[in-house]
Amino acid sequence: MTLPQELEQKFSEIIGKYPPEYKKSALVPLLLYSQDALGKITPELVNEVARRVGVFPLQVEEVLTYYSMLHFPKPMGKYHVQICTNVSCQLTGGPELWELACKRLGLGHKEVSADGLISLEEVECIGACSWAPAIQINYDFHHFVTPEKLDELLDNLRQLQ
Amino acid sequence: MADLVKLTIDGIPVEAAPGSLLIEVARRIGKEIPAFCYYDGFSQVAACRMCLVEIEGIPKLMTACTQPVGEGMVVRTETPKLAEARKGTLEFLLTNHPLDCPVCDKGGECELQDMVFRYGASESRYVEIKHHHDEQQWSPVVYFDPARCILCYRCVRVCSEGMGVNALGVVQRGAYAEIAPNHTDHLECDECGACIDICPVGALTSDTYRYQTRPWEMNHVGTICTHCSNGCKTTLGVRNDQIIRGNNRDRSGINGEFLCVKGRYAFDFNESEERLTTPMIRKGGKLEPASWSDAVRFVAGKLKQLKEAGRQIGVVGSGRVTNEESYYLQKFARQVLGTNSIDHERSGDVVTLLDALAGRANALATVDDLYRAKAVLVIGSDLAHQHPLLHWQIRANWRHHAAHTYSVTAGPVREDQHTVAAIRAAEGAEMNALEQLRDKLSAESELAIVFGDSVKGEAVRQLVSFGDSLGIPVKYVCLVDYVNSRGAMDMGIIPELLPGYQSAAAAGLPVGLTLPQMLANEHLGALWVVNADPLRNTRLAAKEAFVIVQDLFLTATAQQADVLLPSASLYEKLGTVTNVCGEVQRLTKAAQTMGAKADLEIIGLIAKELGMASQMGPWITDKVFAEMQQVVAGYNVPLPVIATGGAAQTLPPAVKIGVETDPALIRSARDTQFTSGTLGSYSKKLDSLLESPGSLYQGENVLALATQ
Amino acid sequence: MLFNEPSPLETKVLTRRFGLPNSDTVDSFLANEGFAAFRKAVTMTPEAIIDEVKKSNLRGRGGAGFPTGMKWGFVPRNSPKPKYIVVNADESEPGTCKDRLLMQYDPLQLIEGMMISALAVGAKRGYIYIRGEYRYLIDIMDRAIADAYAKGWLGQNIQGTGFDFDVFTHTGAGAYECGEESALLESLEGKRGVPRIRPPFPAVAGLWRCPTVLNNVETFASVPSILLMGGEAWANLGSPRNGGTRLFCISGHVNKPGVYELPMGFNLMRMINEVAGGMKGGRHLKAVIPGGSSCPILKAEECDIAMDFDALKAVNSMLGSGGVVVMDETTDMVKVALRIMRFYQHESCGWCIPCREGTLWLKKILTRVEAGMGQRNDPALLHELANNMLGRTFCPLGDAAAMPTISIVEKFRDEFDDYIRRSPMASVAEAETEVPVGV
């Protein structure tokens, strides 16, 4: 499988971090950066990554299905809205944000909009407890999120399209 | 040796080697600490939490499966606190278990059932909805029911660690974690079924056994697998003369619990509707059913007539019948028929090896030696596919004892996953390539050499000289094809040698025809074929020859028979067989097919008909064995050993054999786990697996090397 | 721009460079005592470095509170294998968000801490395992690492000292369990984040089975100031046996939630009222999770307590990872218990039976109770099942799930009963066991 040049470069950079006999270490980073670059993890990618790090595809699948940020076989949307409802956010309005997002987007947990643009996930603690409630859209953190702010963020996503 | 550690288990003082695990030490003194995931011989996982024990001075309960013994340790394995913990864990385990014991194959021999019976609660407090995932079929033989799975990871370990196949893994996580096959929804593997056997519950089931019976309805008969020369013990589950299951859960025998796809599933040839069940006599060019008495009378009459006419009679034996039958057959041929034209399809140069090693003690490796030798050299065989038990042993030796493995083969082999050095050499060129390993091998403290049929004749002598030149103790295994290929040689089923490797010429016997000579001899008067198929790709030159065939099936040879006598399979016989390492083991009769007779009985009946019964002696296996013990050099093996299911290695001759055999006659059939020119081709189960990998020298799992 | 206004009550040691312009560059770092501790450490013997850390009473900031100096001391001196430094930046314990700031505002302090540790144990290579969600921090760390290489503070023969050290970041991909040190190592080796059987501990057989020092971000970040101040002086910042300061992450129902650097042993009530600006809306305090969601909960009346490992242990709770979650009187404890259990169930790796099945069962019961379908013996069952997990699982995650449940059921039993009283299923089954009430 041919990878986009930038991703290919990232692959070399990541694999280069580990002693050659332990290049299997690159497995999770390769998958995560591939998912970011390609938008999804496909069986072809699984085979490719397996080949790159010298393991069986099953070993990639074992790892792939373990980590919650890796979405396989179903990809998430271009904008993945992650709303934390864990305890600190729970106390400060996280569940209300979650309800609102569900309603606004017409999506449930790990559902993707028909056009593939937006997906929604109720996530576990994202490490923003002191600035709760917090959400992440892709890798961007948003702290002290109010319903109004969430509305605005979701509106922006639609416009970004 | 380090001093033993002294400790107390449930008040009983015990001594154990430092580093031994509590669970093993407790087992030794009869304390069975419960465990699902612990399995001796495989890596520790400590996942089931059933083996928790109390150790004085440690507030936490400790897992006996990971806890090494300690000096002065005071251990308790059965306390109210532990019973409570085990009960709690079992309660957790049953929450998402379907409790479908009434229809589960494992019912009655399920470790989960037993454990709940011993430690579990009698009532369930679980009122929530169970997590369920439907059953999946992963291969023609392997089914997986995730709901029943308790995630002990035994299957994953036996496949990767034991077999080197790595076909099973764990996907997802938490309560949704599941065992998964290597190809998303199906398996590509050896189909050995070890995963099914080792499963403590009914999560992995086999197509041959599922929903067939309850375990207590079967007789469990321990006998020897009829397929390859490795001689695995198999325990056949038999109900109403039908073999339903093959496994070896009691781990008796040279193979422990190991069996390959053939041992576990290819027993179904025994019930094939193609089995011959009635004698046939050719009348007007057509084989017509006949009674046994008519058929035997007809054969005897013909043989008598041809012998009196001084016609040449050829006898073809096989590596598929017992030692007793081979012995009896050659005795009949040589003493009654007066012919020395007796041969079989030779698959390894045992004769030259034994000649080269004559007089040496401890020069032949046993199956167990391959597990214990400090170093093993494999020449010219893809053991994982051709001799799966030997591969298993060598791999276990590497895992448990860090044994050094070397391979000199025509292509990649599975041993490459752990070899110190793997050399690729074309067939016949192995001996030259071997020189590259000289330095490394000389540095080993001992060596076992396993070699295939490409090393024959002079090459065998070169190999032994090479071994001698290393200056270390070396043991050898000459690979042969079938369950009793070695025994056929030992019993003198070749014209050059009498039983026990005595020269036939020296005994004054005339020069006999070899098998190719018999087939090519236009003047042959009769050809008597016992459980072999020499005419599968050749025509008999003597068109008028009277052909007698004893077989289970209407083989190509059987189709040309003038008299066809249905014989019993190895699973329907008594007697002994000798495996590739020269180890003699005894069969137990597991089933019978109406109409078929053991070859020994058939030969006996013919002898009787010829009035030679008293000269031949009774066709009772034990009587024949007793005679073999007297007559056949090396076979004076202790009866108590083999009678109790053990294996006894025969000794090589004390003196040089001094008979040259033609290396050109030696050719292995190169069968793999999934192919078989003989019985396997009548196994529907094996047939259904033909698409699976199995070709030689593909080294399909060499990749795992990178991941170890 | 900082996440929250600092408090005048803070003792700014680890966070002293926070807010400086370009605090993530080598130049700014050097201008503000950066690498001074490393310069000192280079002149010291490994034993002396470890001694200094031992004297500081620094205890692991990841949650378990194991003495750091002792941990370093376990690394075999004469092992022929390479040794590794691994930073646990998989910050995932609900209530905890401090390592983020340490990496964002002072990435080089962490690297300096790793370098000193490497000097102490003879390591040449370090990895920073950062949770996948913190991608921006990986980028910050990568930039800081590149800057350090460019200016000769990483790589071969650092600053002519003859010391070689390489640092790499490694991204996680969403797994709380990888915060457990042996699971982190498995993950770093490209496997599922399933913990290892221990012993051997990472100090002896860690990354790629080589001797490894594995500590939390904050633990490593504390090391440079320990060397600069001297172990004893650093220890004296905190309470006895609990050296130094630590970053407390205050969240929940307070006016000024935030991450504050306070001395170990700082009083919890003062933390809430004086540092974090008191309870929101003037409501009453109901309960506090003192150190991240795995720590047994404290009722309001238990909160007049010194925040150190020993004091909290004495009340059967834990200091954990410094996540102080403050709850006011409006908090529904059944919902809190459910949310916490949902988390642990989601994060259980599934390896061992009691955790895999126990968390799921507990979650299902709590879900049912919260949905108004509770049965009378559910609180007792919750309590008993959590106890059946406690101390019997393969790794501490089972305990982490069981402990808050046990404490919430024990301390707020009446709230469960209230739910159940309204349930149509209330009379289905009678309680079989009594739950001890209160502490």
Side-chain angles (χ1 to χ4, degrees):
Chain A
M1 158 178 205
T2 331
L3 302 173
Q5 204 193 329
E6 254 176 57
L7 186 60
E8 191 63 64
Q9 214 169 332
K10 192 78 199 169
F11 268 43
S12 323
E13 181 196 313
I14 291 172
I15 292 172
K17 291 180 177 187
Y18 314 96
E21 64 271 37
Y22 300 121
K23 62 182 172 183
K24 185 182 174 187
S25 282
L27 196 45
V28 169
L30 292 184
L31 290 168
L32 187 59
Y33 279 92
S34 298
Q35 177 175 275
D36 294 343
L38 307 172
K40 58 182 185 254
I41 295 170
T42 58
E44 296 72 49
L45 182 78
V46 169
N47 291 335
E48 182 62 21
V49 169
R51 200 177 62 77
R52 298 288 182 112
V53 302
V55 300
F56 297 120
L58 174 62
Q59 290 170 292
V60 176
E61 222 174 294
E62 287 184 280
V63 167
L64 179 54
T65 53
Y66 179 88
Y67 295 92
S68 60
M69 288 175 70
L70 298 172
H71 302 287
F72 178 81
K74 192 178 98 173
M76 290 294 115
K78 185 175 176 194
Y79 300 106
H80 188 42
V81 179
Q82 301 147 77
I83 298 186
C84 177
T85 59
N86 209 308
V87 60
S88 298
C89 290
Q90 179 188 27
L91 298 175
T92 50
E96 291 72 24
L97 295 179
W98 170 248
E99 293 296 323
L100 178 69
C102 288
K103 209 147 72 186
R104 268 289 313 266
L105 297 171
L107 298 174
H109 180 57
K110 287 197 180 179
E111 286 181 359
V112 191
S113 63
D115 57 3
L117 188 71
I118 300 176
S119 53
L120 187 59
E121 182 177 358
E122 184 184 12
V123 291
E124 296 303 344
C125 183
I126 51 176
C129 317
S130 291
W131 316 288
I135 72 169
Q136 257 192 307
I137 298 173
N138 295 347
Y139 290 107
D140 296 332
F141 279 91
H142 300 275
H143 297 140
F144 298 119
V145 180
T146 58
E148 296 71 34
K149 191 168 165 190
L150 180 63
D151 263 335
E152 196 185 313
L153 285 168
L154 297 180
D155 283 342
N156 285 344
L157 291 187
R158 278 284 159 211
Q159 280 156 19
L160 278 173
Q161 182 172 15
Chain B
M1 190 183 154
D3 287 342
L4 293 179
V5 173
K6 293 185 181 65
L7 68 157
T8 318
I9 299 176
D10 293 335
I12 302 167
V14 202
E15 290 190 349
S20 339
L21 297 172
L22 270 186
I23 196 165
E24 283 295 332
V25 176
R27 228 170 242 188
R28 241 174 40 211
I29 59 162
K31 299 278 174 191
E32 182 75 24
I33 298 176
F36 290 114
C37 67
Y38 176 74
Y39 207 85
D40 56 322
F42 296 119
S43 61
Q44 299 167 10
V45 294
C48 77
R49 318 309 289 173
M50 288 298 292
C51 71
L52 293 171
V53 293
E54 287 190 63
I55 300 174
E56 232 165 61
I58 303 178
K60 245 179 98 92
L61 301 178
M62 303 301 280
T63 45
C65 72
T66 59
Q67 180 64 52
V69 292
E71 183 62 38
M73 203 176 245
V74 178
V75 184
R76 271 179 283 275
T77 71
E78 295 286 347
T79 66
K81 191 174 167 189
L82 292 172
E84 205 49 45
R86 289 166 188 163
K87 184 175 162 187
T89 299
L90 286 169
E91 186 180 30
F92 285 137
L93 199 48
L94 292 183
T95 55
N96 288 298
H97 188 87
L99 295 168
D100 58 346
C101 308
V103 295
C104 177
D105 281 341
K106 206 74 178 184
E109 48 184 17
C110 170
E111 293 180 39
L112 179 58
Q113 276 186 336
D114 294 348
M115 210 77 95
V116 174
F117 185 78
R118 188 166 154 199
Y119 294 104
S122 56
E123 59 178 34
S124 168
R125 298 187 290 183
Y126 188 77
V127 298
E128 322 301 331
I129 292 168
K130 283 179 189 281
H131 167 59
H132 184 78
H133 196 162
D134 286 341
E135 193 183 34
Q136 305 148 29
Q137 182 175 9
W138 283 348
S139 84
V141 291
V142 184
Y143 283 74
F144 177 60
D145 188 342
R148 291 179 186 158
C149 177
I150 62 169
L151 287 169
C152 66
Y153 316 108
R154 284 188 195 175
C155 54
V156 177
R157 288 175 285 160
V158 76
C159 189
S160 60
E161 298 171 19
M163 296 294 297
V165 169
N166 293 297
L168 295 172
V170 187
V171 296
Q172 309 298 338
R173 80 175 181 207
Y176 308 103
E178 221 172 81
I179 304 300
N182 55 356
H183 287 258
T184 314
D185 59 352
H186 70 280
L187 275 171
E188 280 183 21
C189 66
D190 284 2
E191 306 286 358
C192 72
C195 53
I196 297 172
D197 252 15
I198 207 168
C199 180
V201 296
L204 284 158
T205 50
S206 84
D207 178 70
T208 54
Y209 179 68
R210 64 203 311 267
Y211 304 133
Q212 293 291 316
T213 186
R214 308 306 289 174
W216 53 85
E217 293 174 336
M218 296 185 291
N219 285 326
H220 304 276
V221 185
T223 188
I224 306 304
C225 174
T226 186
H227 292 283
C228 84
S229 64
N230 293 183
C232 292
K233 167 132 180 288
T234 174
T235 303
L236 300 173
V238 184
R239 189 186 60 184
N240 300 334
D241 270 333
Q242 191 191 0
I243 302 170
I244 301 177
R245 185 170 78 175
N247 69 22
N248 205 34
R249 291 303 294 147
D250 65 358
R251 299 202 202 181
S252 56
I254 54 172
N255 50 312
E257 65 203 301
F258 175 81
L259 282 176
C260 75
V261 59
K262 286 182 186 167
R264 247 184 215 106
Y265 304 118
F267 53 75
D268 59 335
F269 74 86
N270 211 58
E271 273 89 44
S272 166
E273 58 267 29
E274 292 178 53
R275 274 295 290 275
L276 300 173
T277 54
T278 188
M280 315 269 259
I281 298 176
R282 190 170 298 278
K283 286 179 183 156
K286 247 182 84 191
L287 282 169
E288 301 278 358
S291 71
W292 269 103
S293 51
D294 286 350
V296 166
R297 198 175 307 126
F298 184 54
V299 169
K302 266 291 189 189
L303 287 174
K304 190 169 182 215
Q305 183 195 331
L306 289 165
K307 188 193 168 194
E308 283 166 4
R311 300 290 299 276
Q312 179 76 263
I313 300 174
V315 177
V316 183
S318 100
R320 266 170 37 195
V321 297
T322 66
N323 285 321
E324 288 77 0
E325 290 167 335
S326 290
Y327 177 83
Y328 207 73
L329 178 65
Q330 65 80 33
K331 185 177 176 184
F332 185 82
R334 286 172 171 140
Q335 294 185 14
V336 176
L337 299 180
T339 178
N340 192 29
S341 295
I342 181 165
D343 203 354
H344 71 288
E345 294 180 334
R346 311 177 191 185
S347 53
D349 200 349
V350 178
V351 178
T352 309
L353 179 69
L354 293 182
D355 187 55
L357 297 177
R360 298 191 198 187
N362 298 320
L364 296 173
T366 60
V367 166
D368 190 55
D369 285 333
L370 296 180
Y371 174 65
R372 300 190 189 280
K374 298 275 188 284
V376 182
L377 166 64
V378 180
I379 305 173
S381 178
D382 192 349
L383 292 184
H385 290 299
Q386 295 179 291
H387 296 275
L389 171 62
L390 305 191
H391 167 263
W392 168 271
Q393 290 291 95
I394 294 168
R395 189 176 171 87
N397 193 2
W398 163 67
R399 286 188 296 122
H400 296 158
H401 312 133
H404 293 170
T405 315
Y406 301 85
S407 65
V408 179
T409 55
V413 290
R414 203 174 289 163
E415 284 82 12
D416 293 354
Q417 288 179 20
H418 52 83
T419 44
V420 174
I423 295 178
R424 298 287 100 92
E427 278 187 31
E430 291 97 341
M431 291 311 300
N432 292 334
L434 205 50
E435 280 303 323
Q436 299 173 41
L437 294 174
R438 176 175 290 283
D439 290 347
K440 284 198 174 93
L441 293 175
S442 308
E444 298 290 353
S445 59
E446 58 175 355
L447 182 66
I449 300 178
V450 179
F451 64 94
D453 70 329
S454 53
V455 179
K456 54 189 172 185
E458 198 42 39
V460 176
R461 295 189 196 281
Q462 282 174 26
L463 181 63
V464 173
S465 325
F466 176 82
D468 291 344
S469 72
L470 296 173
I472 55 171
V474 181
K475 292 185 182 185
Y476 299 85
V477 177
C478 172
L479 296 172
V480 290
D481 280 357
Y482 299 117
V483 59
N484 206 31
S485 288
R486 174 62 196 273
M489 277 290 185
D490 292 350
M491 293 306 139
I493 307 294
I494 57 172
E496 302 94 318
L497 292 167
L498 298 179
Y501 300 93
Q502 307 289 316
S503 163
L509 264 73
V511 175
L513 302 178
T514 63
L515 177 53
Q517 287 167 343
M518 291 179 217
L519 302 184
N521 188 324
E522 290 173 6
H523 306 294
L524 197 71
L527 184 72
W528 183 4
V529 182
V530 179
N531 261 284
D533 191 12
L535 301 178
R536 63 188 177 281
N537 354 307
T538 331
R539 292 201 63 81
L540 191 58
K543 293 194 176 62
E544 300 301 315
F546 180 64
V547 179
I548 308 159
V549 176
Q550 295 173 209
D551 208 302
L552 280 70
F553 296 103
L554 193 64
T555 60
T557 305
Q559 286 173 29
Q560 299 179 42
D562 292 299
V563 180
L564 185 51
L565 303 169
S567 55
S569 77
L570 213 62
Y571 295 147
E572 299 165 335
K573 281 177 182 173
L574 296 171
T576 61
V577 286
T578 306
N579 78 353
V580 65
C581 294
E583 293 168 278
V584 181
Q585 300 182 91
R586 212 152 95 130
L587 305 173
T588 311
K589 185 174 170 177
Q592 64 178 25
T593 295
M594 287 299 282
K597 287 185 189 299
D599 295 293
L600 183 63
E601 186 184 356
I602 299 173
I603 304 165
L605 290 173
I606 295 169
K608 184 182 167 207
E609 192 64 33
L610 285 169
M612 304 301 282
S614 56
Q615 185 180 340
M616 284 298 295
W619 46 95
I620 296 168
T621 49
D622 284 354
K623 293 283 183 201
V624 181
F625 183 76
E627 186 175 329
M628 282 159 48
Q629 281 185 303
Q630 301 296 320
V631 176
V632 185
Y635 272 72
N636 195 13
V637 295
L639 191 61
V641 171
I642 62 167
T644 51
Q649 198 186 26
T650 62
L651 296 171
V655 291
K656 285 268 175 198
I657 297 170
V659 172
E660 286 299 321
T661 55
D662 180 3
L665 293 171
I666 293 163
R667 221 185 67 197
S668 160
R670 306 289 165 94
D671 279 325
T672 70
Q673 297 179 72
F674 298 101
T675 66
S676 170
T678 57
L679 296 176
S681 52
Y682 295 94
S683 161
K684 284 187 179 147
K685 201 34 68 185
L686 208 57
D687 264 359
S688 73
L689 292 166
L690 282 177
E691 287 170 24
S692 300
S695 45
L696 298 175
Y697 302 123
Q698 296 304 304
E700 68 290 339
N701 290 300
V702 173
L703 187 59
L705 187 61
T707 69
Q708 296 299 320
Chain C
M1 165 53 203
L2 292 176
F3 283 75
N4 52 270
E5 283 303 309
S7 158
L9 292 169
E10 283 185 83
T11 306
K12 306 218 32 118
V13 181
L14 276 65
T15 58
R16 68 188 186 280
R17 279 182 287 260
F18 282 22
L20 292 176
N22 306 317
S23 67
D24 55 352
T25 62
V26 169
D27 289 343
S28 163
F29 188 62
L30 280 171
N32 293 282
E33 292 185 308
F35 292 124
F38 168 74
R39 289 251 184 234
K40 189 170 173 189
V42 167
T43 66
M44 297 164 70
T45 63
E47 292 76 15
I49 298 172
I50 293 175
D51 269 355
E52 214 57 48
V53 176
K54 281 183 179 163
K55 270 188 237 161
S56 75
N57 284 341
L58 172 62
R59 292 168 69 168
R61 299 302 195 226
F66 193 83
T68 305
M70 202 190 282
K71 202 170 182 179
W72 294 9
F74 291 151
V75 174
R77 295 243 139 247
N78 303 319
S79 168
K81 294 180 174 178
K83 302 177 185 78
Y84 294 101
I85 306 297
V86 176
V87 180
N88 185 344
D90 191 51
E91 181 165 69
S92 313
E93 175 80 9
T96 316
C97 49
K98 61 190 176 62
D99 297 338
R100 252 180 94 176
L101 305 189
L102 288 167
M103 289 188 282
Q104 181 166 352
Y105 295 120
D106 205 350
L108 290 153
Q109 175 174 244
L110 169 61
I111 292 168
E112 188 181 9
M114 294 170 74
M115 290 161 73
I116 294 167
S117 176
L119 283 169
V121 300
K124 302 249 169 289
R125 191 181 262 251
Y127 290 93
I128 309 173
Y129 183 106
I130 305 178
R131 69 178 296 189
E133 291 86 346
Y134 287 180
R135 172 64 60 83
Y136 81 104
L137 290 172
I138 295 172
D139 297 339
I140 289 176
M141 286 306 311
D142 280 342
R143 280 200 301 274
I145 289 167
D147 197 19
Y149 272 105
K151 305 220 165 81
W153 287 96
L154 281 176
Q156 301 288 304
N157 189 19
I158 293 169
Q159 301 294 318
T161 59
F163 170 63
D164 306 334
F165 192 60
D166 291 307
V167 172
F168 304 95
T169 55
H170 178 100
T171 182
Y176 167 77
E177 181 63 1
C178 293
E180 196 279 340
E181 61 178 11
S182 64
L184 182 147
L185 291 170
E186 286 288 292
S187 179
L188 183 47
E189 291 182 7
K191 304 176 200 158
R192 294 163 64 82
V194 172
R196 294 176 179 171
I197 294 168
R198 292 173 302 161
F201 289 93
V204 176
L207 183 58
W208 303 311
R209 301 281 152 181
C210 296
T212 302
V213 169
L214 205 170
N215 284 121
N216 175 255
V217 171
E218 190 183 350
T219 312
F220 279 115
S222 302
V223 172
S225 36
I226 289 171
L227 284 212
L228 282 185
M229 294 172 67
E232 219 159 301
W234 200 86
N236 289 336
L237 292 171
S239 52
R241 296 187 55 235
N242 291 266
T245 57
R246 86 172 291 180
L247 275 61
F248 289 96
C249 321
I250 306 177
S251 66
H253 297 138
V254 291
N255 284 315
K256 289 197 226 163
V259 177
Y260 302 98
E261 185 176 8
L262 300 164
M264 289 289 276
F266 198 91
N267 181 278
L268 176 56
M269 283 315 293
R270 281 188 68 206
M271 214 179 270
I272 295 167
N273 291 325
E274 298 171 31
V275 178
M279 298 299 295
K280 215 176 220 169
R283 287 188 289 272
H284 293 291
L285 177 68
K286 180 173 187 175
V288 175
I289 296 172
S293 65
S294 60
C295 302
I297 201 162
L298 300 177
K299 292 179 92 164
E301 54 268 35
E302 296 171 291
C303 289
D304 187 10
I305 190 170
M307 290 289 276
D308 67 30
F309 290 108
D310 302 320
L312 281 163
K313 196 174 170 207
V315 296
N316 293 319
S317 187
M318 302 188 306
L319 184 62
S321 53
V324 180
V325 185
V326 181
M327 304 175 192
D328 71 19
E329 56 192 318
T330 66
T331 310
D332 181 330
M333 297 313 291
V334 173
K335 285 187 170 18
V336 169
L338 168 60
R339 190 63 191 85
I340 291 175
M341 190 50 67
R342 277 180 57 198
F343 170 71
Y344 287 107
Q345 192 276 320
H346 184 260
E347 300 300 335
S348 167
C349 77
W351 188 251
C352 75
I353 294 166
C355 176
R356 177 179 75 233
E357 305 293 341
T359 52
L360 184 63
W361 190 0
L362 286 168
K363 181 182 92 169
K364 284 177 173 174
I365 297 171
L366 285 162
T367 305
R368 189 165 43 72
V369 170
E370 197 261 351
M373 296 297 278
Q375 299 178 5
R376 193 164 300 161
N377 66 341
D378 282 340
L381 190 59
L382 286 168
H383 191 266
E384 189 184 330
L385 296 178
N387 266 305
N388 282 349
M389 290 167 63
L390 198 64
R392 297 176 192 169
T393 52
F394 184 64
C395 84
L397 194 141
D399 295 343
M403 288 184 297
T405 311
I406 292 169
S407 66
I408 293 174
V409 172
E410 281 178 2
K411 294 178 184 181
F412 301 96
R413 169 74 189 253
D414 52 333
E415 296 194 29
F416 289 84
D417 291 340
D418 281 346
Y419 264 93
I420 292 163
R421 208 166 294 124
R422 299 193 296 270
S423 158
M425 304 286 286
S427 58
V428 167
E430 289 301 320
E432 285 173 4
T433 30
E434 281 301 313
V435 181
V437 175
V439 176

